[in-house]
Amino acid sequence: LDQYPDDEILVWERGFYAWPGFNGGQQNMFEIPRKYARGQISAQYLSTDFLLNQLAKNQQMIYSLPMLYINSGFRRSYLKTLLQKTGKLLDTASQDIPMAIIGCCIHERILHMVYPVTIAGMSGGSIGYLNNCPQMIAGGPAETGLAKRMFQQDNAGIYALSKRERFISPLGTDSDGLYIVLSRTVEEGLLSEERADHILDWKSAAERIVKKLSIQDERYDLMLQRSLFSARELSADHYSCFKAIRNAALTPRFIDAAAVKQHRMAKLYSEGPSSGGGEILDASKYDVQNIMEAAELFANLTGL
C-alpha cells in the first residue's frame, strides 16, 4: 500500500476451500494457486481491457476480477471515485460481480499482487450458494427453513432494472448476474453496446441461462417464455435461435433423481499439482473440517 499510494484497488491471489457438504462432489476441495516464498511479494498491473477480453473468452475469469471482498480491497477514496464516475454508490442487485465489472469499466489498469492474502471458504450455508441452488428455490419441493428465510422480501435490496437488463431472466446465478450488469453498464454509459455485447454474446447467454433452469422450479415455463420474448425484442436472428433452445427445453424427458444425486456427489476435481507450482488437494485427508483448519493447512504447506 505504501509502494502504490495512488492505486485505489488492489487484487491479490487467494486460496480456495470447500467445506464438507458444499456443492456435492466439490466438497473438501483445497487449492493453493501457485508456489510462494515467504515475504517475496511482487505486483504487476493488468490492463482492464485485457481482463474484459479474457472474460469474453471464459466467464470463469470473473473470479479473477476485483470482486472487492473475497480477492481484493479498495481504499476509502475509491468510494468518491465511484460516485464521481458513475453518479452512484453500490447501485446493483449484489456487490461482487457488478463491482468487478464496474471497476474494470472506470479504470484502465488494476494492480495485482502476486501473493495470497485470503482463502475463499465456500460453505453450504452461504446465501450466494443457496441462491444458485435450484433445489432451494422458495416454493420448490426441497424448500427448507433456511431457503424460506433467504427469500423473504426484507432480505432483498431495492433495485430497479434498466431496459436492457430486463432482457435477461434473473435466476440469481453468477451467469445471469454477469449478463445483467454488462447490460447495465451500457445504460450507464460505462461500456459501448458493441463492447458489452462482445463480452456477453447473447446466444451463449441464452443457452447458459436455460441450462441453469431447474425443471423443479415453478418458474420454469415463465422464464422460458420471458427469454423467448427478450430474444424477439433483440432481433429476428436471436428469436429464431432461441426458439430452438426453448423447444428443446420443453421437450418431455425422464429424470432419474437417484442418478442425478449420484452424479452430483461424484468428485468434481482431480488432486495433484497445477500450473505455476500450485496444488489441488482433498482437505478431508488432512482432517480439515472448517475454514480455520484450512488456513492452518495452507500456512503449513506453503510456509507462509
Side-chain angles (χ1 to χ4, degrees):
L1 294 175
D2 291 339
Q3 189 176 351
Y4 298 92
D6 296 328
D7 287 278
E8 294 181 312
I9 295 177
L10 175 64
V11 179
W12 54 76
E13 300 196 344
R14 59 163 175 81
F16 179 89
Y17 169 64
W19 287 62
F22 174 77
N23 197 24
Q26 196 173 17
Q27 64 179 343
N28 300 312
M29 181 180 177
F30 179 90
E31 182 177 9
I32 299 172
R34 70 171 81 211
K35 186 175 179 62
Y36 301 100
R38 185 179 180 86
Q40 293 184 16
I41 305 172
S42 62
Q44 61 184 352
Y45 284 109
L46 296 177
S47 157
T48 52
D49 193 52
F50 165 78
L51 291 173
L52 291 175
N53 281 333
Q54 293 300 107
L55 181 61
K57 298 174 185 176
N58 178 10
Q59 292 193 342
Q60 288 300 108
M61 270 296 297
I62 187 67
Y63 301 109
S64 298
L65 269 54
M67 300 181 81
L68 298 183
Y69 80 112
I70 202 168
N71 69 339
S72 52
F74 58 89
R75 297 182 190 271
R76 279 186 242 181
S77 61
Y78 178 64
L79 293 174
K80 289 184 179 179
T81 299
L82 193 62
L83 187 60
Q84 290 168 356
K85 294 195 174 185
T86 69
K88 299 172 182 176
L89 283 178
L90 310 179
D91 177 46
T92 58
S94 63
Q95 301 312 318
D96 47 9
I97 291 175
M99 292 307 296
I101 296 295
I102 291 171
C104 286
C105 288
I106 64 177
H107 290 83
E108 292 184 357
R109 63 184 189 177
I110 299 290
L111 184 63
H112 173 237
M113 184 168 70
V114 188
Y115 204 74
V117 175
T118 53
I119 296 177
M122 310 305 289
S123 160
S126 157
I127 295 296
Y129 168 67
L130 292 175
N131 206 36
N132 280 276
C133 187
Q135 293 78 22
M136 299 296 278
I137 297 296
E143 181 184 282
T144 67
L146 180 58
K148 217 173 194 177
R149 291 196 302 275
M150 186 181 87
F151 283 94
Q152 287 176 347
Q153 186 60 36
D154 56 7
N155 286 338
I158 303 303
Y159 173 68
L161 292 170
S162 65
K163 181 180 178 180
R164 275 181 60 99
E165 287 172 280
R166 293 180 186 277
F167 287 145
I168 301 296
S169 298
L171 304 179
T173 66
D174 288 356
S175 292
D176 70 81
L178 170 59
Y179 303 146
I180 286 172
V181 72
L182 282 169
S183 289
R184 193 168 184 81
T185 59
V186 174
E187 297 279 359
E188 299 290 341
L190 300 176
L191 281 183
S192 69
E193 189 168 4
E194 293 75 21
R195 184 77 170 115
D197 285 349
H198 170 67
I199 300 170
L200 169 56
D201 183 0
W202 288 99
K203 181 176 183 295
S204 171
E207 289 175 339
R208 287 176 66 92
I209 286 174
V210 170
K211 285 179 181 178
K212 287 285 185 179
L213 283 170
S214 169
I215 203 166
Q216 295 174 300
D217 189 340
E218 60 187 13
R219 304 173 300 167
Y220 187 77
D221 287 2
L222 171 64
M223 289 302 183
L224 286 173
Q225 290 303 110
R226 281 191 57 175
S227 297
L228 184 64
F229 172 79
S230 297
R232 186 175 62 189
E233 290 294 301
L234 286 166
S235 73
D237 287 343
H238 283 98
Y239 182 64
S240 175
C241 173
F242 191 79
K243 274 179 66 177
I245 297 173
R246 186 203 62 164
N247 291 342
L250 288 175
T251 301
R253 58 197 181 277
F254 173 74
I255 296 177
D256 187 334
V260 170
K261 184 176 181 180
Q262 185 178 11
H263 174 73
R264 284 179 178 154
M265 292 308 296
K267 210 164 194 175
L268 298 177
Y269 57 94
S270 300
E271 299 171 62
S274 57
S275 59
E279 192 170 10
I280 297 177
L281 305 169
D282 183 335
S284 66
K285 295 180 179 179
Y286 295 81
D287 297 322
V288 170
Q289 295 294 316
N290 54 57
I291 189 62
M292 184 185 77
E293 293 172 355
E296 292 171 346
L297 176 63
F298 195 99
N300 290 336
L301 293 178
T302 60
L304 301 182

